[in-house]
Amino acid sequence: MFSKRRSLLLGLTALTLGLAACASKPELSRIQDPDADFHAYRSFAVLPGRPDGSSSLVERRLIAAARLQMERRGYVLDESAPDLLVNVAAVLEDRQRLRPAAADAPGKEAVVTEEYRLGRLAVDLIDARRRDVVWHSTAEGRVSAEMLRDAGTAAEKAVAAVFESFPVKPKARVAASAPASR
């Protein structure tokens, strides 16, 4: 139905996990269309994943987390005629950097190569009628082996972190009604 596709790489999930679980907060950024009225939008649909319809467990958790964030803000899932399209993408990269190290002798300088994984998560909201991106937010951070152990939960936390800057705040949860007093 939608011609645009969301690309989620399997390793990305680790990124997402890492972003949410890291001791230091991920670096977040966002940009939005200043003319977009996010309170005027009522419904959304999540863009389909891979062309063959398959998805990994982590991809499904990312999509479910994005859907939950939209619903918490009052948007209704409508796959036939949505106002907004949600696109989620993540990537994991192996990186290297040089860092200072203790030298063998005074006055000598030493450096070591440090290897690490960098994860990035991006969420785009697209005005379905105009086919224009109206909100784009990203999270980026280091991913450790510990972060990979509970990828699903980490993915959900990373998506929640990205949505913290969304212009429509989550609605307060409805408390269970207390018994009427006499």
Side-chain angles (χ1 to χ4, degrees):
M1 173 176 168
F2 301 111
S3 61
K4 295 184 180 183
R5 277 184 272 188
R6 171 180 16 85
S7 88
L8 292 172
L9 306 174
L10 286 176
L12 331 173
T13 56
L15 128 75
T16 317
L17 323 169
L19 296 175
C22 59
S24 61
K25 288 224 170 216
E27 184 176 318
L28 301 171
S29 66
R30 78 165 165 84
I31 187 168
Q32 72 184 53
D33 180 342
D35 298 325
D37 179 2
F38 292 94
H39 294 282
Y41 297 113
R42 300 282 180 240
S43 61
F44 74 98
V46 178
L47 288 174
R50 301 177 198 168
D52 66 0
S54 66
S55 61
S56 73
L57 289 171
V58 177
E59 289 169 341
R60 291 194 298 267
R61 294 282 289 265
L62 287 168
I63 292 166
R67 178 179 171 175
L68 175 65
Q69 291 298 321
M70 294 297 288
E71 290 173 341
R72 288 187 64 213
R73 287 161 173 78
Y75 298 100
V76 176
L77 180 66
D78 180 352
E79 294 177 350
S80 61
D83 296 327
L84 291 168
L85 301 173
V86 179
N87 185 46
V88 180
V91 67
L92 180 66
E93 298 175 4
D94 289 320
R95 292 279 184 98
Q96 293 181 338
R97 75 175 187 117
L98 298 176
R99 66 173 174 81
D104 293 346
K108 299 257 182 177
E109 295 181 19
V111 292
V112 295
T113 302
E114 177 183 42
E115 294 185 4
Y116 63 97
R117 288 185 172 159
L118 179 71
R120 291 189 193 118
L121 170 68
V123 177
D124 292 320
L125 295 184
I126 302 158
D127 182 301
R129 186 181 53 77
R130 295 183 315 172
R131 296 288 185 178
D132 288 333
V133 174
V134 292
W135 186 78
H136 171 80
S137 186
T138 62
E140 181 177 298
R142 286 187 177 217
V143 178
S144 69
E146 298 83 45
M147 296 173 188
L148 300 175
R149 290 191 186 117
D150 189 4
T153 300
E156 292 166 359
K157 289 179 180 178
V159 170
V162 165
F163 270 92
E164 285 177 8
S165 67
F166 192 68
V168 176
K169 299 302 172 205
K171 300 193 183 296
R173 294 189 178 172
V174 179
S177 53
S181 57
R182 295 185 182 193

